[in-house]
């Protein structure tokens, strides 16, 4: 870190406390302030995080707020939870960090503040760093740890950041789940004891618990009111979030790399940089916190975050491994005829000695299977050109199968414990490559580089990762450093991503990891989007995408129209509903078009055309979640509003269906009260338009009253949804769809609103 380039900067107020010059440091974004006390030679203390403070309040903040060590270290107040715990070269287990100096630097739209700390006795250093965005209300914090002791220092605990949160009626919102059921929202009050949210997968970290949370500070979480702190750990690997509620007035929140089985031996002069912990604060409820994260993500944290995405067809659920030239050509023709812009060939295209027929072979052998694709990728690219769509391809470059030429040649390239047989994953033969090994990093970079140098027209890569680290063992790291394996794997992964982005800045890359295993801000700087889940069932997607939207913007959430019955839940959901759900994220298709009727294709063609008209609002607009599917009121609803508030899209999905049920009327949000919005329904299937089709209403009216949405679609009798029932159900699923737009022309505003239709109902087994 280059301190010379930084300017010493006195923030806020100077106070004399005893013999110490107490320097208050104010880290600010447009609407928030984080205040620290950083007296030279004293302890770095946290004073305040919340709405942006006025100069006057800043003057007296030290008198009003309790203070806590801003980066608590272990040793001289041993009973408390800590962020950092080490064993010095001489065996001493304690730290006593004092402020050396504070520096700031402006880098583009961010101001970075670094508080340099040093142990009172040992040559052990910690920089506590804050990057405050000036165009998004997010502060990223991280630490840089180093020392000049004679021998390595062992890092036992090394959180990225810590935040004290005043007790009261504080509720935590967080995501958990599993494969095909990602992003499940849980909201719970914080109670005494330790709440731990963690991941130990090794490769993927968001199938189960997520490394992002929100704290609602004034009681039960509300979407559009109340004070909220959001936190997102920007890391692709194992993490641990801890919230301790003990015997004082604060909840103590820590977030960082999961140190379990990962103690780190830090060499003299080596710099250990912890991943960023991104913090946001909003007084507009959970949706306000989400809007802050989304804006920051689009502007600073997501590859190509402000470029609208192409509408694509992915081959996976259409043909699975059954790839062939003619089939790909037909799918490209079909997506082109429906107005799509990109075709992605998924798994099954590669392998020479061991052709990829199923998931038990060939990963690592990234050469075209000439039996399936005699004209190679050239042939596919020329088909894509013929049909006027772009072409994308699936790879899983961090992995191999033991049945592969790669593994035959390099058995030492996989993660495996010495003295043990390797434990195998997917297909009974999958193994994880050892990304700590620079030769393996070159190989993985080469997978992308070879494809892109041979076929520069490739527009999109779906990068998959379908296995956990089962085997604790790097064949590259020394015996002494085996506990570095998880960290070195992710350093290796990041180095590869950086090389790819340096050479291929324009390539679109999707992070897929058995579905939503890589929805995290550690990977997103290098990826354009992620696959939310392998589960494409539209009803379950309402729930999964609801949760995922807490932290990630729609532009990053790949959401595809798939077949009925659904391949994961076997639920039959009418196409209208499937379309209306997929259109609330980055729209795509995951289906075999040749099995669709002409009527279905026409519906999709129309939907794609309509999506193009709302794409900037969905992908770049502000989210307002209105009615949660988790509230079990039979309907879920959200909307996106363009930043100029001249256009909005409103979604309404029925989630339960009963005869003569009574659903709440949903009030809109985020509009401009005194603008008029003309309502227009998208994807209409009803025989007659809604009463208010084409009519205008003020934002004030729509936000105070909402619009009455009919519970059923008025369609011909034979098109009405059937109700099949079975006994033994947890839930009776109703699918309603409806979607509409509201808009005005000329100088007036446009708002789109969704209108509902009841689709079919069926009871699940
Ligand atoms: C994973 C992905 C799927 C698909 C398959 C291919 O499961 O999540 O979308 O790409 O791999 O094997």
């Amino acid at each position: 870190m280059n301190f010379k380039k930084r300017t010493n900067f006195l923030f806020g107020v100077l106070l004399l406390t005893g013999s110490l010059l107490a320097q208050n440091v104010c880290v600010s974004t447009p609407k928030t302030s984080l205040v620290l006390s950083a007296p030279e030679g004293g302890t770095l203390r946290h004073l305040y995080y919340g709405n942006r403070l006025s100069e006057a309040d800043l003057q007296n903040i030290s008198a009003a707020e309790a203070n806590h060590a801003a980066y608590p270290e272990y040793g001289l107040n041993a009973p408390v939870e800590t962020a950092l715990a080490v064993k010095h070269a001489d065996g001493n287990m304690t730290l006593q960090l004092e402020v050396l100096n504070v520096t700031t630097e402006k880098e583009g739209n961010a101001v970075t503040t670094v508080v340099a700390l040093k142990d009172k006795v040992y040559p052990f250093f910690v920089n506590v760093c804050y990057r405050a965005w000036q165009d998004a209300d997010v502060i990223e914090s991280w630490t840089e740890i180093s020392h000049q002791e004679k021998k390595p220092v062992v890092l036992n605990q090394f959180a990225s950041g810590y935040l004290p949160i005043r007790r009261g009626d504080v509720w935590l919102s967080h995501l958990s789940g599993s494969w095909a059921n990602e992003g499940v929202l849980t909201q719970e009050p914080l109670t005494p004891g330790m709440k731990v949210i963690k991941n130990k997968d090794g490769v993927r970290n968001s199938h189960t618990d997520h490394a992002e949370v929100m704290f609602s500070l004034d009681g039960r979480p509300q979407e559009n009111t109340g004070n909220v702190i959001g936190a997102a750990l920007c890391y692709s690997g194992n993490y641990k979030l801890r919230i301790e509620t003990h015997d004082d007035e604060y909840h103590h929140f820590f977030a960082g790399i999961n140190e379990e089985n990962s103690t780190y031996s830090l060499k003299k002069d080596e710099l250990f940089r912890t991943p960023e912990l991104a913090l946001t604060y909003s007084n507009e409820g959970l949706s306000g916190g989400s809007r802050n994260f989304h804006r920051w993500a689009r502007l600073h944290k997501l590859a190509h975050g402000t470029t609208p995405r192409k509408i694509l067809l992915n081959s996976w659920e259409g043909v699975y491994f059954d790839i062939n030239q003619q089939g790909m050509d037909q799918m490209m023709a079909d997506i082109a005829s429906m107005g799509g812009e990109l075709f992605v060939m998924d798994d099954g295209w590669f392998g020479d000695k061991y052709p990829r027929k199923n998931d038990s072979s060939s990963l690592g052998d990234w050469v075209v299977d000439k039996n399936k694709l005699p004209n190679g990728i050239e042939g596919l690219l020329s088909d894509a050109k013929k049909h006027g769509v772009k072409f994308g391809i699936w790879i899983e470059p961090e992995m191999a199968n033991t049945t592969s030429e790669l593994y035959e040649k390099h058995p030492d390239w996989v993660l495996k414990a010495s003295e043990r047989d390797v434990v195998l994953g997917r297909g009974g033969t999958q193994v994880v490559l050892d990304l700590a090994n620079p030769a393996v990093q070159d190989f993985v970079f080469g997978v992308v580089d070879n494809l892109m140098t041979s076929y520069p027209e490739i527009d999109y890569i779906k990068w998959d990762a379908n296995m956990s680290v089962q085997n604790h063992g790097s064949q590259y790291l020394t015996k002494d450093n085996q506990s570095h394996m998880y960290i070195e794997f992710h350093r290796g992964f990041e180095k590869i991503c950086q090389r790819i982005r340096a050479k291929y800045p324009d390539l679109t890359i999707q992070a897929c990891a058995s579905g939503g295993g890589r929805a995290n801000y550690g990977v997103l700087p290098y990826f354009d989007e992620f696959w939310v889940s392998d589960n494409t069932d539209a009803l379950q997607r309402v729930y999964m995408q609801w949760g995922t939207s807490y932290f990630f913007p729609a532009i990053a959430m790949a959401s595809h129209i798939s077949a009925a019955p659904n391949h994961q839940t076997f639920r039959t959901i009418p196409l209208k509903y499937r379309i209306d759900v997929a259109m609330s994220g980055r729209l795509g298709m995951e289906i075999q078009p040749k099995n669709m009727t002409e009527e279905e294709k026409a519906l999709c063609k129309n939907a794609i055309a309509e999506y193009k008209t709302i794409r900037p609002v969905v992908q770049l607009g502000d989210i307002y979640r209105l009615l949660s599917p988790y509230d079990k009121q039979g309907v879920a609803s959200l909307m996106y509003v363009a930043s100029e508030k001249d256009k909005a899209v409103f979604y309404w999905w029925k989630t339960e269906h009963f005869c003569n049920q009574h659903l709440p009327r949903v009030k809109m949000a985020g509009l401009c009260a005194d603008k008029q919005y003309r309502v227009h329904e998208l994807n209409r299937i009803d025989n007659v338009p809604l009463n208010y089709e084409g009519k205008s209403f003020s934002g004030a009216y729509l936000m105070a009253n909402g619009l009455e949405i009919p519970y059923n679609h008025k369609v011909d009798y034979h098109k009405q949804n059937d109700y099949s029932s079975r006994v033994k159900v947890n839930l009776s699923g109703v699918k309603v769809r409806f979607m509409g737009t509201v808009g005005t022309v000329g100088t007036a505003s446009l708002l789109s609103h969704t209108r509902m239709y009841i689709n079919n109902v069926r009871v699940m087994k």
Side-chain angles (χ1 to χ4, degrees):
M1 133 143 340
N2 185 354
F3 285 101
K4 292 216 181 90
K5 274 176 60 191
R6 294 206 166 109
T7 0
N8 265 321
F9 194 90
L10 285 181
F11 290 85
V13 196
L14 295 180
L15 298 171
L16 211 54
T17 314
S19 62
L20 296 176
L21 186 65
Q23 179 183 319
N24 278 9
V25 176
C26 184
V27 176
S28 308
T29 68
K31 290 191 186 154
T32 70
S33 297
L34 187 147
V35 186
L36 306 154
S37 157
E40 221 175 287
T43 304
L44 176 65
R45 295 194 165 272
H46 170 97
L47 290 177
Y48 171 86
Y49 182 46
N51 286 326
R52 189 173 170 130
L53 293 178
S54 64
E55 282 302 317
D57 283 337
L58 206 50
Q59 294 284 331
N60 295 321
I61 195 76
S62 318
E65 296 289 335
N67 64 62
H68 296 87
Y71 192 64
E73 72 271 31
Y74 180 75
L76 299 183
N77 184 7
V80 307
E81 277 296 312
T82 49
L84 180 67
V86 310
K87 184 165 119 185
H88 293 280
D90 67 1
N92 190 317
M93 297 286 288
T94 66
L95 279 168
Q96 191 174 13
L97 297 173
E98 295 177 343
V99 174
L100 279 182
N101 59 50
V102 182
T103 53
T104 64
E105 190 179 30
K106 188 149 184 356
E107 316 163 83
N109 275 332
V111 175
T112 300
T113 302
V114 176
V115 184
L117 308 176
K118 181 192 168 300
D119 188 87
K120 196 169 180 176
V121 175
Y122 289 84
F124 186 94
F125 307 92
V126 178
N127 291 327
V128 182
C129 311
Y130 300 88
R131 183 184 295 121
W133 290 102
Q134 301 306 296
D135 53 5
D137 284 302
V138 169
I139 295 171
E140 297 163 16
S141 73
W142 71 97
T143 55
E144 295 161 345
I145 305 167
S146 62
H147 71 88
Q148 289 169 349
E149 299 184 25
K150 290 202 178 73
K151 289 196 187 141
V153 172
V154 178
L155 308 184
N156 289 317
Q157 202 172 40
F158 33 90
S160 293
Y162 158 73
L163 197 68
I165 298 171
R166 182 66 169 84
R167 280 171 81 163
D169 192 8
V170 178
W171 284 58
L172 176 71
S173 297
H174 62 106
L175 306 180
S176 61
S178 49
W179 175 81
N181 188 21
E182 292 90 337
V184 176
L185 176 66
T186 297
Q187 299 183 309
E188 56 188 317
L190 286 178
T191 52
M194 179 72 96
K195 175 85 188 171
V196 176
I197 295 174
K198 66 172 172 50
N199 175 269
K200 293 166 70 169
D201 181 279
V203 174
R204 310 156 299 180
N205 71 14
S206 55
H207 270 134
T208 52
D209 298 308
H210 266 244
E212 307 86 27
V213 291
M214 290 216 208
F215 300 94
S216 295
L217 307 181
D218 337 281
R220 195 173 279 278
Q222 304 294 332
E223 281 295 345
N224 293 299
T225 55
N227 297 315
V228 166
I229 290 174
L233 185 74
C234 306
Y235 191 53
S236 57
N238 294 353
Y239 59 80
K240 189 184 272 181
L241 315 186
R242 289 172 280 152
I243 305 148
E244 199 210 23
T245 307
H246 192 37
D247 65 347
D248 64 354
E249 303 305 319
Y250 285 77
H251 303 288
H252 301 275
F253 172 59
F254 299 84
I257 291 176
N258 189 340
E259 72 284 354
E260 280 177 51
N261 301 307
S262 284
T263 49
Y264 195 89
S265 170
L266 187 69
K267 293 196 293 266
K268 185 180 176 199
D269 289 326
E270 181 185 349
L271 188 80
F272 186 94
R273 190 183 191 281
T274 61
E276 289 113 345
L277 173 65
L279 298 171
T280 193
Y281 185 91
S282 171
N283 52 22
E284 295 178 12
L286 296 164
S287 284
S290 300
R291 290 192 291 278
N292 289 353
F293 276 131
H294 295 181
R295 180 176 170 78
W296 160 76
R298 284 191 300 258
L299 292 179
H300 305 297
K301 211 63 188 176
L302 172 66
H304 312 122
T306 55
T307 311
R309 308 300 196 235
K310 297 187 182 81
I311 298 162
L312 63 84
L313 170 66
N314 179 289
S315 67
W316 180 239
E317 288 193 18
V319 299
Y320 292 101
F321 292 100
D322 193 11
I323 300 279
N324 60 63
Q325 176 75 40
Q326 209 190 343
M328 298 297 97
D329 181 64
Q330 162 250 311
M331 290 181 106
M332 287 189 237
D334 283 330
I335 188 61
S337 74
M338 286 186 272
E341 299 150 333
L342 168 69
F343 171 73
V344 181
M345 176 173 69
D346 208 285
D347 198 350
W349 60 269
F350 52 93
D352 178 19
K353 181 174 171 190
Y354 303 106
R356 177 88 163 167
K357 296 197 171 73
N358 52 45
D359 62 8
S360 68
S361 72
S362 325
L363 293 176
D365 300 347
W366 302 106
V367 288
V368 169
D369 177 350
K370 284 280 184 188
N371 289 319
K372 288 179 178 175
L373 298 169
N375 303 334
I377 292 174
E378 299 91 321
L380 298 168
L381 285 166
S382 78
D383 283 349
K385 202 165 189 184
K386 174 177 81 190
H387 297 301
V389 291
K390 297 284 183 191
F391 178 78
I393 195 164
W394 179 96
I395 51 174
E396 194 179 354
E398 296 152 88
M399 306 285 165
N401 291 108
T402 49
T403 310
S404 70
E405 293 183 69
L406 181 74
Y407 186 75
E408 285 174 350
K409 213 163 143 201
H410 296 290
D412 55 323
W413 277 11
V414 309
L415 292 178
K416 177 190 165 303
S418 65
E419 317 304 325
R420 311 278 178 204
D421 290 339
V422 64
V423 177
L424 303 166
R426 187 184 185 197
T429 57
Q430 189 158 334
V431 283
V432 181
L433 296 180
D434 185 356
L435 301 193
N437 184 339
V440 176
Q441 292 168 20
D442 288 344
F443 168 79
V444 175
F445 169 74
V447 174
V448 174
D449 195 36
N450 292 340
L451 277 173
M452 294 309 297
T453 40
S454 312
Y455 315 107
E457 299 89 355
I458 290 177
D459 185 70
Y460 177 107
I461 281 180
K462 174 174 173 178
W463 178 307
D464 215 334
N466 289 313
M467 191 180 163
S468 315
V469 173
Q470 297 285 342
N471 306 264
H472 193 136
S474 163
Q475 301 188 73
Y476 173 77
L477 295 172
T478 62
K479 285 199 165 159
D480 289 350
N481 277 342
Q482 289 297 308
S483 65
H484 293 196
M485 179 197 69
Y486 291 114
I487 289 171
E488 291 297 349
F489 181 92
H490 287 276
R491 284 179 176 169
F493 176 58
E494 187 161 28
K495 278 185 202 154
I496 295 162
C497 292
Q498 283 165 349
R499 285 171 73 184
I500 291 169
R501 278 308 181 193
K503 190 154 178 198
Y504 303 105
D506 299 332
L507 185 62
T508 305
I509 314 182
Q510 180 188 76
C512 176
S514 312
R518 273 190 173 158
N520 67 61
Y521 282 113
V523 303
L524 284 177
Y526 311 104
F527 290 79
D528 298 67
E529 61 177 32
F530 56 87
W531 185 218
V532 174
S533 176
D534 272 352
N535 185 344
T536 56
D537 174 280
L539 180 61
Q540 200 166 346
R541 278 278 180 142
V542 168
Y543 289 80
M544 292 190 285
Q545 295 180 183
W546 184 272
T548 307
S549 81
Y550 268 50
F551 306 101
F552 302 98
I555 194 170
M557 289 165 49
S559 181
H560 295 178
I561 301 165
S562 64
N566 179 267
H567 291 193
Q568 294 79 38
T569 61
F570 308 103
R571 185 173 11 231
T572 298
I573 297 183
L575 184 56
K576 160 79 176 147
Y577 193 84
R578 284 178 270 146
I579 288 172
D580 285 354
V581 172
M583 277 176 73
S584 66
R586 195 282 281 134
L587 175 67
M589 300 185 76
E590 184 97 13
I591 197 165
Q592 173 51 280
K594 85 173 176 200
N595 297 339
M596 295 165 72
T597 64
E598 286 311 310
E599 194 182 353
E600 287 172 330
K601 283 187 187 163
L603 206 58
C604 288
K605 184 174 180 178
N606 179 59
I608 288 174
E610 305 233 69
Y611 184 77
K612 287 177 183 169
T613 70
I614 59 167
R615 174 162 45 187
V617 186
V618 176
Q619 298 191 1
L620 307 174
D622 289 324
I623 194 168
Y624 290 82
R625 285 181 300 266
L626 304 172
L627 182 55
S628 170
Y630 291 92
D631 287 350
K632 299 284 172 226
Q633 301 220 32
V635 64
S637 180
L638 58 78
M639 60 197 289
Y640 299 106
V641 183
S643 57
E644 299 78 19
K645 298 200 181 287
D646 58 342
K647 224 174 184 186
V649 188
F650 171 84
Y651 297 83
W652 187 105
W653 306 287
K654 204 163 154 182
T655 52
E656 270 183 359
H657 177 69
F658 301 101
C659 276
N660 294 326
Q661 67 188 133
H662 302 288
L663 299 174
R665 182 160 158 170
V666 180
K667 293 171 185 164
M668 297 187 189
L671 302 174
C672 182
D674 52 12
K675 271 191 173 153
Q676 289 291 116
Y677 294 89
R678 186 154 63 86
V679 177
H680 166 58
E681 183 187 354
L682 293 176
N683 297 341
R684 175 160 76 86
I685 60 162
D686 287 34
N687 292 337
V688 287
L690 291 163
N691 290 341
Y692 43 73
E693 169 71 28
K695 305 263 186 294
S696 294
F697 303 90
S698 68
Y701 174 83
L702 293 170
M703 292 192 287
N705 305 285
L707 289 168
E708 206 56 78
I709 310 289
Y711 294 3
N712 298 292
H713 290 292
K714 304 285 184 291
V715 292
D716 294 348
Y717 182 78
H718 75 279
K719 288 188 177 168
Q720 289 184 356
N721 302 148
D722 60 307
Y723 293 68
S724 68
S725 65
R726 301 174 192 194
V727 183
K728 183 238 162 239
V729 183
N730 306 352
L731 137 84
S732 67
V734 172
K735 309 71 208 232
V736 172
R737 62 297 270 26
F738 110 119
M739 192 166 162
T741 50
V742 186
T744 47
V745 285
T747 56
S749 334
L750 293 177
L751 173 238
S752 73
H753 116 261
T754 301
R755 182 209 144 195
M756 85 176 164
Y757 307 88
I758 291 189
N759 296 322
N760 68 341
V761 171
R762 79 187 276 218
V763 179
M764 293 159 57
K765 215 187 326 181

